[in-house]
Amino acid sequence: MLTVLRLILATVFVVATTLSALVFCLFSPKNPKHVYFFCRWFNQLQKILGLTIIQRGLENAPTPKNSVYISNHQSVFDFVTDPGMLRPRTVSLGKRDLLWIPFFGVLYWITGNILINREDKSKARDTIKQVAEAIHQRDLSVWVYPEGTRSKGRGLLPFKTGAFRMAIEAGVPITPMCTSTTHNKIDLNRANNGIVITEMLEPIDVSDYELGDARALADHCHALMAEKIAQLDAEVARLEAEASPKLDTRKSSTQ
């Protein structure tokens, strides 16, 4: 029953947000400020799912300077856990297939995010150059999931080099953002789905890197993020273990 209720609430929320965005964005379609604005809305989905999200490290975001932000990509629930970390004038890079997701696809496009065709490698390379130029021409930051696909419980997958070549070509820092593991954590039929921690790490200067160093930079960031995610998972386990006896005590007192 709770699952059905949550699905209904989430559907109503997404449809209402999309319709509002369509009206709002008609006056300035694909303006990068819209992504941040509507991410504030999507950040509220955590309440529908019964999650407590701890957000920290936002002071590390190199705003108002531009950056390429990278994050681990776990599941569809990233659209619940990650939006609160997105910074102003930041757009995300997503595959063109997202456009065909009912309601969300239109919202993703009209708010100014960038859609790419990953199947065409030559066009993908051109897109990297175009986005690198747009970072300065349009005063943008870009959010990328460098794994290229959702990990679905397989841990942090190897990184593709596109995001890193983009940062090197644009001459802007790479800023990692890590989210604690959500695989098998969220049960739509459970009232309380516990804690998720999202943390922004310090920006990584790429001025000493050349395009040929993109793989080395990707591997360096992968190691940093894998270590941080392991730390976040351990912290989540500790926090939830500390909270569990309190919940048990409350249950006992009501019996």
Side-chain angles (χ1 to χ4, degrees):
M1 182 62 184
L2 184 55
T3 297
V4 174
L5 177 60
R6 278 180 166 149
L7 289 174
I8 292 173
L9 288 174
T11 301
V12 170
F13 180 91
V14 171
V15 171
T17 299
T18 301
L19 294 177
S20 300
L22 285 172
V23 175
F24 187 83
C25 294
L26 282 176
F27 298 97
S28 55
K30 306 194 76 171
N31 188 320
K33 70 179 183 180
H34 298 327
V35 180
Y36 176 77
F37 178 77
F38 285 102
C39 273
R40 302 303 93 194
W41 289 28
F42 269 89
N43 194 40
Q44 303 309 308
L45 278 170
Q46 60 179 289
K47 298 175 181 177
I48 295 177
L49 294 188
L51 283 172
T52 299
I53 300 179
I54 299 174
Q55 299 172 342
R56 63 192 184 202
L58 290 177
E59 68 278 2
N60 289 326
T63 51
K65 297 180 180 179
N66 309 115
S67 181
V68 173
Y69 294 93
I70 57 173
S71 180
N72 51 318
H73 195 16
Q74 302 183 72
S75 69
V76 68
F77 293 118
D78 292 343
F79 296 110
V80 179
T81 59
D82 295 359
M85 301 299 286
L86 188 132
R87 300 294 81 205
R89 297 197 67 80
T90 300
V91 299
S92 68
L93 203 63
K95 58 183 180 180
R96 191 175 296 274
D97 295 350
L98 289 173
L99 187 60
W100 306 112
I101 298 177
F103 294 102
F104 178 80
V106 176
L107 175 65
Y108 190 86
W109 172 78
I110 201 168
T111 50
N113 293 294
I114 300 172
L115 293 162
I116 62 171
N117 183 2
R118 289 195 321 209
E119 303 303 321
D120 190 326
K121 301 300 182 183
S122 61
K123 287 186 178 180
R125 285 192 289 270
D126 290 339
T127 299
I128 288 173
K129 293 180 180 179
Q130 292 169 10
V131 174
E133 293 172 358
I135 285 174
H136 296 294
Q137 293 173 355
R138 298 177 58 200
D139 187 23
L140 296 176
S141 289
V142 180
W143 186 288
V144 183
Y145 291 109
E147 294 162 279
T149 189
R150 291 172 287 187
S151 59
K152 299 180 180 178
R154 292 172 288 173
L156 190 64
L157 301 180
F159 286 171
K160 300 181 184 301
T161 60
F164 306 95
R165 288 189 285 121
M166 189 186 303
I168 294 169
E169 191 155 340
V172 299
I174 286 279
T175 307
M177 198 290 289
C178 298
T179 301
S180 61
T181 301
T182 58
H183 182 66
N184 287 338
K185 180 181 184 64
I186 301 171
D187 181 348
L188 294 180
N189 204 40
R190 183 170 55 212
N192 184 355
N193 279 305
I195 298 169
V196 172
I197 302 177
T198 56
E199 181 169 344
M200 193 84 72
L201 307 187
E202 293 185 1
I204 299 170
D205 184 9
V206 303
S207 58
D208 291 334
Y209 288 88
E210 298 180 355
L211 284 176
D213 301 322
R215 169 48 59 196
L217 178 58
D219 291 343
H220 172 62
C221 292
H222 187 281
L224 288 176
M225 291 177 63
E227 180 180 7
K228 173 54 69 172
I229 292 167
Q231 293 173 358
L232 296 181
D233 288 346
E235 184 177 352
V236 167
R238 177 179 59 80
L239 291 173
E240 292 185 338
E242 291 174 353
S244 183
K246 296 178 182 178
L247 292 174
D248 292 340
T249 301
R250 290 174 187 168
K251 288 179 181 179
S252 298
S253 64
T254 58
Q255 291 177 352

